[in-house]
Amino acid sequence: MLRFGTAGLRGPLRDGPDGMNLDTVSRATAGLVDWLRGRCLGGGTVVVGRDARHGSAEFGIVTAEIFAAAGFPVVLLPRPLPTPIVAYAVRELGAVAGVQITASHNPATDNGYKVYLDGGSQLIAPADTEIERCIEDVTEPIARTPVTPAADDLVRRYIDRVARLPELIGGPGERSDIRIALTPLHGVGGDTAVAALTAAGFGRVHVVGAQFAPDADFPTVAFPNPEEPGATDLLLDTATRIGADLAIALDPDADRCAIGIPDGDGGWRMLRGDETGVLLGDYVLRTAAPDALVATTVVSSRLLSKLAAARGARYAETLTGFKWLARAGDGLVYAYEEAIGHCVDPAAVRDKDGISAAVLAADLVARLKAEGRTLADELDDYAVEFGLHATDQVSLRLPDPAAAAQLVNRLRRAPPDEIAGEQVEYTDLLQVRGRMRTDALIFEGGRSRIVVRPSGTEPKLKCYLEVVEPVADFGVLAAARTAAGQRLAELRTFCRGL
């Protein structure tokens, strides 16, 4: 049967206990009902939302109706909407749980069941295995009671909150008018993102028409993920055509946001998640309290830790996933993961939120433009201040998740002493205690760092690469980028040979 992984269930649409279908969703909901009752949370409000994938409408309705029949007041969101709205609604309403039917950026053949607990954070262990046991104990029949979808009030409140972020975080100041190109990649974030950007004062939004309406088949992309090669080609074509200042790509459930900028040679490039992460993190810290906390994960760049120390902020590092990042510590003002997930307003949304990240990125670009500067200028400044941090990722697609775990175990049994000519030190995160214990290996040398782990959601082995080059001044930046690029190529070759 499908197991609770990253915040819930995710798998292919097919019959049987190993697929996403009405029976799987019904049993999962009945099990969650029993788990909540076992913690004296029966009768508390539950929020249910969905994306526009195949099966999502039916799965959302059956989830809401089972909760209602069990005596839980249910807020069923009125239409396909972004995942962050469910996270927001759980926190805003003081709900005991929330469920979003979504498979995020997975292929069109998949769907999923994402669970939020009180406070609007994703579930973590041991709740996941406890809920699994409750699901296994479910017996038929499972009662259902019809539910009337809620009005748009929560959606409007979410948009209002996001639209206020430039003032809440950036504060008053001069802004230039900017032109934005945007794609939701056939997902559910388009209307909400445009509404939030417009309400925040960014009315010149040009959408990629071929990808704007939700389409469960994702016809223009091989994989509906902004990080995949070719996924943002239409976006960058639009940005070039309209002379945009900023390009924004949301993933299909709009909890992740990728940023594109002019490359200085007449073209465009998409920023890596680590680049956007430090840009937004620094922006948030400009007006944050002196002891504010920022966080990222063990597979992300080390640059945020250096920036936090220089800005007088605290820094935390967690395992991958926002179920950990959202719980990084008191005073959290910003968190990101390299896979283009950003939490810029944890007071309202304790999860990654592509729409609020897009609004904050637009505000940063507008403020910089008023000063005659760009995001590329900011990145150059960081390179001179902290050294050039260049990152990349290698994903090896494998027949099944077990094959990825076997590869990691082979490396664990015989870890290399050197990688691409550089001596490395080896850390096995299965050997550490506490929350940082996970199935991952870290290899660190003088200039390089590689983290190897099995994917938590797909049959892949993931290798996260980082190279740091010292930069004495702006005059040597180009040479440092060339050296970093060469070193990353050597690390990619090593990883592909695993």
Side-chain angles (χ1 to χ4, degrees):
M1 61 183 289
L2 291 182
R3 297 292 179 184
F4 268 66
T6 302
L9 302 170
R10 194 180 298 182
L13 289 158
R14 63 188 179 199
D15 293 335
D18 62 344
M20 283 295 297
N21 51 65
L22 283 174
D23 183 62
T24 295
V25 170
S26 298
R27 292 178 61 83
T29 305
L32 182 53
V33 162
D34 290 343
W35 184 84
L36 290 169
R37 284 173 167 168
R39 275 138 196 84
C40 300
L41 297 173
T45 299
V46 174
V47 179
V48 178
R50 64 180 176 92
D51 65 12
R53 285 177 175 267
H54 294 297
S56 288
E58 296 87 347
F59 296 164
I61 290 170
V62 73
T63 298
E65 291 184 346
I66 291 171
F67 274 116
F72 290 78
V74 177
V75 177
L76 175 61
L77 295 183
R79 60 184 180 281
L81 286 165
T83 293
I85 294 180
V86 172
Y88 167 82
V90 171
R91 193 168 180 82
E92 176 74 1
L93 298 176
V96 297
V99 174
Q100 172 79 345
I101 305 298
T102 182
S104 189
H105 54 278
N106 276 38
T109 52
D110 290 357
N111 212 325
Y113 185 98
K114 188 170 187 177
V115 178
Y116 292 93
L117 300 182
D118 59 305
S121 296
Q122 299 176 22
L123 75 138
I124 57 172
D128 49 4
T129 54
E130 291 171 353
I131 295 169
E132 280 184 357
R133 287 196 292 270
C134 290
I135 294 171
E136 292 168 358
D137 292 339
V138 170
T139 57
E140 303 290 347
I142 301 171
R144 294 168 56 175
T145 297
V147 175
T148 300
D152 266 357
D153 178 60
L154 273 170
V155 181
R156 288 193 296 268
R157 285 154 64 183
Y158 168 81
I159 291 171
D160 289 345
R161 172 73 187 195
V162 173
R164 293 200 308 272
L165 287 180
E167 296 296 334
L168 292 173
I169 293 175
E174 183 180 357
R175 297 172 174 83
S176 293
D177 192 16
I178 62 169
R179 186 179 285 113
I180 300 170
L182 181 139
T183 179
L185 286 184
H186 301 292
V188 296
D191 288 337
T192 306
V194 171
L197 285 163
T198 302
F202 305 106
R204 302 170 72 189
V205 181
H206 300 256
V207 303
V208 178
Q211 297 176 332
F212 191 74
D215 189 324
D217 292 320
F218 306 107
T220 69
V221 291
F223 292 96
N225 180 349
E227 296 178 293
E228 291 286 342
T232 59
D233 286 355
L234 292 179
L235 171 69
L236 298 186
D237 288 346
T238 300
T240 301
R241 176 175 53 81
I242 68 170
D245 300 286
L246 176 67
I248 297 170
L250 304 173
D251 76 335
D253 71 331
D255 66 350
R256 303 197 304 157
C257 173
I259 299 299
I261 64 171
D263 63 8
D265 296 320
W268 282 73
R269 75 176 183 95
M270 299 302 294
L271 296 184
R272 298 196 63 81
D274 285 313
E275 292 176 304
T276 305
V278 73
L279 286 163
L280 295 182
D282 195 19
Y283 191 34
V284 170
L285 285 177
R286 291 179 191 181
T287 56
D291 63 343
L293 176 68
V294 294
T296 190
T297 72
V298 67
V299 303
S300 300
S301 169
R302 307 300 90 192
L303 180 53
L304 184 65
S305 65
K306 298 177 182 178
L307 184 140
R311 305 296 188 260
R314 293 177 294 129
Y315 169 80
E317 189 171 292
T318 76
L319 297 179
T320 56
F322 267 86
K323 63 183 180 182
W324 303 114
L325 283 171
R327 297 172 171 89
D330 294 336
L332 182 69
V333 296
Y334 176 73
Y336 91 91
E337 59 184 357
E338 54 77 41
I340 59 174
H342 309 277
C343 175
V344 304
D345 186 20
V349 179
R350 285 264 163 174
D351 195 14
K352 55 186 177 289
D353 182 350
I355 292 170
S356 63
V359 169
L360 203 64
D363 188 57
L364 176 56
V365 169
R367 289 176 188 265
L368 289 172
K369 186 176 180 180
E371 301 169 3
R373 290 173 54 78
T374 66
L375 294 182
D377 294 329
E378 292 282 284
L379 292 171
D380 287 350
D381 287 349
Y382 298 144
V384 174
E385 185 176 1
F386 304 110
L388 177 67
H389 291 63
T391 60
D392 202 354
Q393 183 187 136
V394 174
S395 292
L396 304 179
R397 191 169 288 275
L398 299 166
D400 54 60
Q406 289 166 6
L407 263 178
V408 174
N409 282 330
R410 180 167 57 79
L411 270 177
R412 180 175 284 119
R413 289 192 298 268
D417 296 322
E418 69 171 38
I419 293 177
E422 182 178 60
Q423 293 291 315
V424 293
E425 295 183 358
Y426 157 69
T427 302
D428 184 352
L429 291 186
L430 268 185
Q431 302 302 316
V432 303
R433 295 180 180 272
R435 280 191 165 187
M436 291 302 290
R437 187 176 188 274
T438 190
D439 189 10
L441 309 176
I442 302 175
F443 301 95
E444 293 185 88
R447 300 165 53 206
S448 312
R449 184 173 187 267
I450 302 177
V451 183
V452 181
R453 73 175 185 94
S455 169
T457 57
E458 300 174 90
K460 288 181 178 180
L461 181 74
K462 290 193 172 183
C463 304
Y464 305 84
L465 320 177
E466 181 171 33
V467 173
V468 181
E469 291 288 339
V471 179
D473 54 51
F474 291 99
V476 299
L477 254 177
R481 286 200 173 94
T482 298
Q486 292 171 345
R487 181 62 183 163
L488 283 174
E490 294 169 352
L491 299 183
R492 285 194 296 269
T493 298
F494 167 79
C495 293
R496 287 168 181 155
L498 292 174

